[in-house]
Amino acid sequence: MGRSQSTVSTSIANLEIALDTELFDRSSRFPVLTAEDETLLQEAKALYDRGHAYERLGDSLFQGQPTNITLAVGIPTVSSPLYSPGSPTSSPSST
């Protein structure tokens, strides 16, 4: 992934705080997605695929014309001593 283990762990912890759920069952040696969060992952993959389909549609509609499509997806932030917008652990460069 090109990211350090601590960066990934921090990003996962921030996501868990934002979603108010544990994403992984950590009761065994290797973390495993919970059943509920496996469903969330499938939805995220579908959204990602839909974004690519949207981009391809835009390309085909405006073939030969300069195009630029930007999609932004955000997760609402939460106020928490462990997570606050703008803190070093919540900056885009640490995800």
Side-chain angles (χ1 to χ4, degrees):
M1 285 178 39
R3 308 244 191 262
S4 70
Q5 187 272 328
S6 63
T7 299
V8 173
S9 293
T10 300
S11 297
I12 290 170
N14 288 339
L15 183 57
E16 288 177 326
I17 291 167
L19 296 174
D20 193 28
T21 188
E22 287 189 7
L23 297 173
F24 294 94
D25 175 359
R26 295 177 176 88
S27 62
S28 63
R29 179 178 170 147
F30 298 104
V32 177
L33 275 176
T34 63
E36 295 84 4
D37 295 311
E38 184 66 39
T39 301
L40 183 62
L41 175 61
Q42 295 307 315
E43 289 297 318
K45 286 179 179 180
L47 180 60
Y48 179 82
D49 291 342
R50 182 65 183 121
H52 279 282
Y54 182 80
E55 187 173 17
R56 284 191 306 273
L57 175 62
D59 289 345
S60 69
L61 292 174
F62 299 103
Q63 211 167 36
Q65 298 178 25
T67 61
N68 186 11
I69 297 174
T70 302
L71 298 175
V73 178
I75 297 174
T77 58
V78 294
S79 295
S80 166
L82 299 175
Y83 177 84
S84 62
S87 71
T89 59
S90 64
S91 69
S93 63
S94 67
T95 55

